[in-house]
Amino acid sequence: MLKAIYGTKDVLPKDVEKWNFLESTIKNIFASFNYKEIRTPLLEETGLFSRSIGEETDIVSKEMYTFQDRSETSITLRPEMTASVVRAFLEHSLSSQSSLNKLFYIAAMFRQERPQAGRFRQFHQFGAEVLGSSSPLLDAEIIILAYTILKSLGLVDITVKINSLGITSSRKVYLEILKEYLESHLNELSEESRKRFEKNVLRIFDSKFENDIQIMKDAPKLIDHLDDESKQEFQVVQNILRSEQIPFLLDSSLVRGLDYYSKTTFEIVSDKVGSQSALCGGGRYDGLIELLGGTPNYGVGFAAGIERILLALQNEKTKLPDNSSLDLYVVLLNKELLNEYYLFATALRKNHLKVEIDYLSRSVKAQMREANKLRAKFVALFGGEEYAENKVVLKNMGTSVQQVLPLENADKEILLSVGS
RNA sequence: GUGAGUAUAGCUCAGUUGGUUAGAGUACCAGGUUGUGGCCCUGGGGGUCAUGGGUUCGAGCCCCAUUACUCACCCCA
C-alpha cells in the first residue's frame, strides 16, 4: 500500500477543524499586537541555514533535507523559519521601508530526525520575528505574545522558562571560565558530558547523570558573568513579565541550540507531550542580520510547534470548538423528482446555508439517519404528497416539530427558521 | 546515528499448553409494515493474522530474517 513518507502525517478532515481553530486564534492575536504575516519559500539555498544556524549544530550537521537541483545548486527544505525571514528582510530591504518590522508566520518545517511523540519530519510552526530594535520591551513582548497565544488556545499547564546568554563577547569570556572549572573535573564527568565539553559546554548543565549534576552545582553560572547591558536589560524583561503577571522560572541551563542566540532566551514547556516538552522557544539574535550580510541590526523572535500544542491540548483533555454541524439536510421522498430536488437544495446553498443532500438513492430512514449523524439543525422533506400541493415539510431536528411550507417562499422561511 | 518494543477487520483490541471454517466492541451497509433521526433490536459486507523462510502431522501462537510503525537517547518545535 502507498503510504505517507516516514515522519509525515495526513491531517484528516476531523482534525483540520482543530488546525483551523488554532490558526485563526493565532492570527487574531498576532493582529492585535500588529504583527504582519510573511510567507517565504519552503526551499532555500543550503548556505543560508549552514551560515545562520551553525555548521556544528545538529540541525545542520545531520537533520536537513538537502539535495542538488538540476543546476547543481544545493537546496534545503527549511528546518526553521528565522533564517528565511531574515533573508527576505534583507533581500527586499524591509528596513528601509520601516525602521521596525514585526512579522509572523505559520508554516511547515522539515527535519530528517527519527520521529517520536511530538516530533515529526514535516512539522508546523507559528512564530514571530521582530527586526530593527534592541529594546528589551520587545524581548518581553515576544514572550508575552507566545504565552498569550498558548493560553488562548486552551493550554493550562505550561511553564515559561527564561535565561540570558549575554552578548557574544561576554559569553566567550564566561565559557573560558567555565571550561577552566570543568577541566579539573574532566575525569569525573560522564562520557556524554565530555563530548559536550568539546562541542557545546553549556549543554553539560542539562546532563541527567547525578555525578554531573553535583559537579555543575558548583560551576560558575552564566548569569553571574553577564555584561552590564545584558544584565540590566534582563531585569527590564523580568519586570515587565511580572507586571503582566506572566509566571516564569529563571533557568540558567536554558541554552538555545542554535548559534545565533544572544541575550534573552526563553522556552515554554508542558509535561503533557511525552519527552519533547518544549512547545515554544525563542530569544534575541542580534548578530544574525550582520552574519547574513546585512548592515548590523537587531532581532528577536520565537517559534512554537503546532503538533506539540495539539498533543498537549489532547493530553490536557481540552475540548476544542466543534463547528461540524449542518444547517439543513434535504431528504428526497420521491426519486422521480431528483432534478427538482437538486435545484431546491442548490437554491438554498446560494443563500449561504450549509446544505447537504442524498446522493446515494437511499431510503428515507437512511437519509434521516444521515441527517442526524451530520447533526443537521433542520431537515426538509422534499417530494411526496406535499410536493403535489407545491409544499415542502421542514422538520426541526432539535424539537422534532414539523411545519409545512409553500415551495415558492420555502427558502425565505427556512432561512428565517435556521437563522433563529 | 544508538537502544527497546509492537505488528490480527477502517479503528480499539481478544485469541488458552501450537489443534476444525479467526472473534468482540466500534464504524460502515440494510431492515425492524405505506413518508421521519437519536435509544434499542436483527441481519450483512469486510481479514493472504505485516512479508518471506524455518520447526511441526498441524503455526495467528514457536524460531530466523526482512519491512513497517511506536517509544526513548542525542537534539529540538
Side-chain angles (χ1 to χ4, degrees):
Chain A
M1 204 200 320
L2 290 166
K3 301 175 68 173
I5 298 293
Y6 188 49
T8 70
K9 289 272 180 286
D10 296 311
V11 183
L12 299 175
K14 68 177 170 34
D15 292 321
V16 167
E17 220 168 296
K18 296 175 192 163
W19 282 72
N20 282 334
F21 164 72
L22 256 66
E23 287 170 16
S24 62
T25 305
I26 290 162
K27 285 181 179 176
N28 284 336
I29 296 170
F30 275 128
S32 71
F33 281 78
N34 194 34
Y35 283 64
K36 306 293 185 194
E37 183 168 2
I38 184 165
R39 302 188 187 192
T40 67
L42 269 73
L43 305 175
E44 295 279 359
E45 281 191 33
T46 303
L48 174 64
F49 301 117
S50 49
R51 280 165 68 192
S52 60
I53 299 170
E55 293 283 0
E56 295 305 314
T57 58
D58 283 12
I59 292 180
V60 172
S61 63
K62 59 183 196 189
E63 295 172 1
M64 294 204 301
Y65 276 100
T66 296
F67 59 93
Q68 303 255 312
D69 72 4
R70 286 172 201 273
S71 61
E72 294 186 15
T73 306
S74 181
I75 305 280
T76 293
L77 271 67
R78 63 176 172 223
E80 60 112 41
M81 196 66 174
T82 304
S84 297
V85 171
V86 170
R87 196 222 78 234
F89 168 83
L90 293 173
E91 182 171 339
H92 304 285
S93 304
L94 295 186
S95 64
S96 65
Q97 295 169 44
S98 160
S99 47
L100 184 68
N101 282 273
K102 304 206 295 180
L103 305 168
F104 82 92
Y105 57 83
I106 304 178
M109 310 294 156
F110 303 85
R111 290 183 201 172
Q112 197 168 162
E113 300 179 83
R114 287 279 266 271
Q116 67 190 71
R119 168 183 291 163
F120 306 97
R121 289 185 163 189
Q122 176 178 338
F123 61 103
H124 299 79
Q125 292 184 328
F126 63 87
E129 312 293 350
V130 179
L131 302 170
S133 167
S134 65
S135 168
L137 259 178
L138 285 166
D139 300 43
E141 179 168 298
I142 283 291
I143 297 171
I144 290 163
L145 186 48
Y147 184 80
T148 305
I149 291 173
L150 296 188
K151 280 288 177 182
S152 302
L153 294 175
L155 288 167
V156 178
D157 209 358
I158 54 177
T159 307
V160 179
K161 302 199 288 192
I162 64 171
N163 190 24
S164 176
L165 299 177
I167 59 172
T168 316
S169 58
S170 73
R171 189 160 73 245
K172 267 185 188 154
V173 172
Y174 162 74
L175 287 178
E176 286 312 311
I177 296 170
L178 178 62
K179 278 190 170 173
E180 206 170 294
Y181 166 82
L182 285 173
E183 255 163 14
S184 58
H185 296 278
L186 213 51
N187 292 334
E188 307 160 50
L189 285 173
S190 65
E191 195 191 323
E192 210 171 273
S193 289
R194 265 179 276 148
K195 265 188 215 154
R196 286 170 170 175
F197 182 84
E198 300 299 333
K199 258 179 73 182
N200 190 346
V201 208
L202 286 171
R203 285 257 155 244
I204 303 178
F205 280 107
D206 287 339
S207 176
K208 278 144 198 156
F209 295 99
E210 185 54 36
N211 201 35
D212 291 358
I213 294 170
Q214 286 306 319
I215 292 170
M216 296 316 282
K217 240 184 184 172
D218 298 324
K221 299 278 182 294
L222 176 57
I223 200 91
D224 300 324
H225 291 80
L226 286 184
D227 51 285
D228 290 340
E229 185 186 76
S230 298
K231 207 180 287 179
Q232 192 239 325
E233 289 178 4
F234 195 40
Q235 280 308 321
V236 174
V237 172
Q238 291 180 51
N239 289 341
I240 295 170
L241 293 181
R242 282 196 196 95
S243 37
E244 288 283 332
Q245 305 195 337
I246 310 261
F248 63 88
L249 298 173
L250 289 176
D251 183 349
S252 57
S253 72
L254 191 65
V255 183
R256 309 243 16 107
L258 319 184
D259 280 1
Y260 52 63
Y261 284 105
S262 61
K263 293 187 176 172
T264 309
T265 61
F266 78 102
E267 209 167 80
I268 301 179
V269 299
S270 160
D271 57 8
K272 298 286 195 300
V273 286
S275 75
Q276 308 308 315
S277 60
L279 298 181
C280 170
R284 184 162 277 286
Y285 46 85
D286 286 341
L288 179 61
I289 292 170
E290 186 179 9
L291 183 69
L292 289 178
T295 46
N297 208 335
Y298 306 100
V300 59
F302 78 90
I306 294 180
E307 284 85 354
R308 286 188 188 174
I309 289 168
L310 284 166
L311 187 60
L313 285 170
Q314 188 189 320
N315 292 341
E316 281 190 6
K317 304 202 188 328
T318 308
K319 286 227 166 71
L320 296 179
D322 183 358
N323 304 313
S324 66
S325 70
L326 197 64
D327 292 324
L328 179 74
Y329 188 98
V330 190
V331 168
L332 178 58
L333 299 172
N334 179 350
K335 308 284 189 240
E336 283 161 23
L337 294 171
L338 186 63
N339 274 342
E340 293 82 349
Y341 170 67
Y342 192 76
L343 292 174
F344 177 76
T346 306
L348 289 163
R349 284 173 172 165
K350 284 178 185 151
N351 288 310
H352 303 295
L353 286 181
K354 204 169 168 185
V355 177
E356 188 54 291
I357 62 171
D358 170 58
Y359 298 94
L360 303 173
S361 276
R362 303 214 281 191
S363 67
V364 172
K365 181 201 279 279
Q367 291 183 65
M368 288 301 292
R369 281 183 172 159
E370 185 70 11
N372 188 61
K373 196 176 82 183
L374 297 175
R375 297 195 297 157
K377 296 189 192 90
F378 287 84
V379 164
L381 295 115
F382 185 90
E385 291 168 16
E386 289 81 0
Y387 183 79
E389 297 167 25
N390 284 317
K391 287 176 178 165
V392 64
V393 179
L394 183 69
K395 176 168 187 171
N396 181 319
M397 294 294 274
T399 62
S400 294
V401 174
Q402 294 190 178
Q403 52 180 320
V404 182
L405 303 172
L407 268 176
E408 62 262 27
N409 60 356
D411 52 348
K412 281 179 201 140
E413 293 286 335
I414 290 169
L415 273 169
L416 275 174
S417 305
V418 173
S420 64

